[in-house]
């Protein structure tokens, strides 16, 4: 347990160990906490089911739009999560067409990989951020995550510093939560299954004609 008011930082040197640590943390802290996920790909059904078994106060995910539309494994698992209480939104990167002479429209991607499990009422937050995708294939790559865990005290007023934007200067966890919530507001809600099929078909047709 991290002492109140202190931040503990550790390195997780593989995707397998990251998933093990995340699952253990979900078992210990899943009920009543919030979970924020940022993903490029997400096709690990077992990990999705571990999340679904928790009683989160809020379960939000931001996924790369192209990955969600065009990668069948990610499409299937993210739709399953969407149908099981996870609020999912998709985003894409910035227009990068000038890099290719504007021959066609190219977009960057949402390449962030992170998970944040936190509860303001308990004054506790854990953030994992790094290179690990939420996929089975990532278990065969050279990957790593940084794990930050913080217990923060109540203020005298009974209001937590995170909820008032008054966390200690340089709090990486507070910054992540703020950036995630800003991006989530502007991201696109994922489509229903019928809408998804239509949009994925249109995306494939566009690539074929370019």
């Amino acid at each position: 347990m991290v002492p109140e008011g202190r931040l503990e930082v550790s390195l997780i040197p593989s995707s397998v160990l990251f998933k093990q640590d995340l699952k253990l943390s979900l078992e210990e802290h899943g009920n009543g906490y919030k979970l924020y996920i940022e993903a490029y790909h997400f096709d690990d059904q077992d990990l999705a089911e571990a999340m679904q078994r928790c009683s989160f106060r809020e379960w939000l995910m931001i996924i790369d739009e192209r990955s969600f539309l065009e990668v069948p494994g990610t499409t299937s698992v993210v739709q399953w999560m969407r149908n099981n209480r996870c609020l999912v939104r998709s985003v894409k990167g910035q227009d990068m067409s000038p890099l290719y002479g504007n021959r066609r429209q190219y977009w960057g991607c949402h390449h962030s990989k992170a998970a944040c499990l936190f509860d303001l009422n308990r004054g506790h937050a854990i953030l994992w951020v790094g290179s690990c995708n939420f996929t089975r294939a990532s278990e065969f790559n050279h990957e790593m995550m940084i794990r930050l865990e913080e217990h923060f005290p109540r203020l005298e007023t009974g209001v937590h510093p995170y909820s008032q934007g008054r966390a200690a200067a340089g709090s990486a966890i507070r910054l992540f939560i703020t950036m995630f919530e800003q991006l989530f507001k502007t991201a696109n809600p994922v489509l229903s299954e019928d809408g998804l099929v239509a949009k994925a078909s249109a995306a494939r047709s566009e690539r074929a004609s370019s």
Side-chain angles (χ1 to χ4, degrees), residues 7-198:
L7 178 68
E8 183 178 85
V9 181
S10 56
L11 176 69
I12 300 176
S14 73
S15 179
V16 171
L17 292 176
F18 159 60
K19 291 179 181 179
Q20 290 176 355
D21 187 55
L22 178 55
K23 288 177 183 177
L24 288 173
S25 296
L26 291 173
E27 290 176 5
E28 185 175 358
H29 305 298
N31 295 329
Y33 276 56
K34 293 184 179 184
L35 178 64
Y36 289 175
I37 299 289
E38 290 206 35
Y40 179 48
H41 295 294
F42 198 129
D43 66 15
D44 192 325
Q45 182 70 36
D46 183 62
L47 185 58
E49 290 177 4
M51 295 176 181
Q52 190 271 339
R53 287 192 292 270
C54 299
S55 298
F56 298 118
R57 289 181 55 238
E58 195 170 48
W59 181 18
L60 308 180
M61 181 166 72
I62 299 172
I63 185 79
D64 176 66
E65 183 177 280
R66 184 170 179 177
S67 170
F68 174 64
L69 289 173
E70 301 180 17
V71 181
T74 292
T75 302
S76 174
V77 174
V78 171
Q79 278 287 7
W80 182 90
M81 295 168 73
R82 175 186 179 274
N83 295 333
N84 283 275
R85 299 182 291 107
C86 183
L87 299 179
V88 186
R89 294 191 174 185
S90 65
V91 296
K92 57 186 176 182
Q94 299 178 22
D95 183 2
M96 56 190 294
S97 305
L99 291 177
Y100 299 95
N102 294 306
R103 295 191 303 274
R104 55 168 289 192
Q105 196 167 38
Y106 292 87
W107 292 91
C109 62
H110 177 72
H111 209 246
S112 299
K113 298 101 173 178
C116 189
L117 186 64
F118 66 100
D119 183 2
L120 301 180
N121 294 322
R122 293 180 174 89
H124 181 219
I126 307 172
L127 170 65
W128 297 263
V129 61
S131 67
C132 298
N133 271 318
F134 299 86
T135 63
R136 296 302 306 274
S138 71
E139 298 172 17
F140 300 88
N141 299 338
H142 295 291
E143 309 275 14
M144 64 179 65
M145 297 293 268
I146 300 295
R147 184 186 197 273
L148 302 94
E149 183 172 5
E150 184 174 9
H151 283 265
F152 45 91
R154 288 180 179 270
L155 301 180
E156 292 182 2
T157 59
V159 178
H160 288 293
Y162 276 23
S163 63
Q164 295 296 305
R166 292 156 68 183
S171 170
I173 299 177
R174 172 61 198 173
L175 181 59
F176 172 83
I177 292 171
T178 299
M179 293 177 65
F180 180 97
E181 292 176 345
Q182 290 174 346
L183 183 58
F184 193 83
K185 288 177 182 177
T186 61
N188 300 311
V190 299
L191 301 172
S192 65
E193 206 158 324
D194 290 341
L196 174 64
V197 170

